Amino acid sequence: MTLNTPAEEATLIRAAQSGGLRAFESLMHCHAPALYTLALRSLGDAHEAENLVQEAMLRAWNSLKSFRAEARLGTWLYRIVINLCYNRLPQLRRLPEGLDEDWAATLPQAASGPEALLTDRELQHVLHDAIAALPAQQRLLITLRHLEDLRYDEIAEITGLPLGTVKTGIHRGRLQLRTSLAGTGLA
């Protein structure tokens, strides 16, 4: 299930805040894949990621009445997942150094047609492996920016890191990815 409009999500949030379990389940069904991806990329372990997302959903249910819609629900849920990741991986809180540049714009455009599908999948696998090899905080920031397509200010809000630190971490992660991907056609 996907929510087509913010109004649909707002209606479900109000219903869930009033104790509507089905509304809450619908919200979680929409957000669970992104939460799992974030947890998996942060922790690097599928079983741990599943457990963490379940715990995050339980915390969300218990705290939903206090959700004030000042932020998007997805941002609030990401914050819960990130906090749980911080508890499991304290090294996520270490601060990186550096400045930002737009590394993603250097990626080649995907080729079209069935003959290019295998190559695209192979390149995607190489890219995901390179991201998985990043230090925990850089992996988290790169995931939020490029795989979840969040803005820098949203990432700062979710992670609780200063905006400059977010930009720095993403820059460092991009530099490390560029080095790792040299010769693969992705850097």
Side-chain angles (χ1 to χ4, degrees):
M1 173 185 180
T2 59
L3 298 172
N4 295 322
T5 66
E8 288 176 340
E9 183 170 83
T11 300
L12 287 173
I13 291 169
R14 283 191 299 278
Q17 286 177 321
S18 297
L21 187 56
R22 292 230 167 160
F24 181 75
E25 288 172 350
S26 294
L27 289 167
M28 293 305 104
H29 181 73
C30 292
H31 290 281
L35 299 176
Y36 174 76
T37 299
L38 176 60
L40 180 61
R41 295 252 178 242
S42 298
L43 300 174
D45 180 278
H47 183 69
E48 275 293 312
E50 288 175 17
N51 289 340
L52 188 132
V53 170
Q54 288 178 2
E55 186 176 343
M57 288 181 183
L58 180 60
R59 287 186 184 202
W61 174 252
N62 290 332
S63 302
L64 191 60
K65 289 185 180 184
S66 66
F67 176 69
R68 291 170 293 169
E70 292 168 2
R72 295 180 315 157
L73 181 66
T75 302
W76 184 69
L77 292 170
Y78 274 23
R79 182 68 191 165
I80 293 170
V81 169
I82 293 300
N83 284 337
L84 290 170
C85 287
Y86 282 163
N87 291 340
R88 286 189 172 77
L89 294 174
Q91 68 268 28
L92 282 176
R93 286 197 185 267
R94 290 193 193 127
L95 301 179
E97 305 163 11
L99 294 174
D100 188 39
E101 64 182 74
D102 197 8
W103 167 81
T106 66
L107 290 175
Q109 295 298 317
S112 60
E115 65 278 354
L117 187 58
L118 181 58
T119 302
D120 288 347
R121 284 187 181 155
E122 289 170 354
L123 290 175
Q124 185 178 30
H125 182 70
V126 168
L127 177 61
H128 285 284
D129 285 349
I131 291 170
L134 290 172
Q137 186 178 47
Q138 290 175 0
R139 182 175 61 241
L140 171 65
L141 295 173
I142 290 290
T143 297
L144 290 171
R145 176 72 184 121
H146 295 292
L147 301 179
E148 299 299 326
D149 201 28
L150 296 177
R151 296 184 324 263
Y152 293 112
D153 60 327
E154 291 175 312
I155 296 168
E157 182 180 341
I158 289 166
T159 61
L161 296 171
L163 183 59
T165 301
V166 168
K167 290 181 178 182
T168 297
I170 291 170
H171 172 72
R172 292 276 179 167
R174 289 173 177 162
L175 290 176
Q176 191 162 343
L177 283 173
R178 187 173 288 130
T179 301
S180 297
L181 297 172
T184 65
L186 287 175

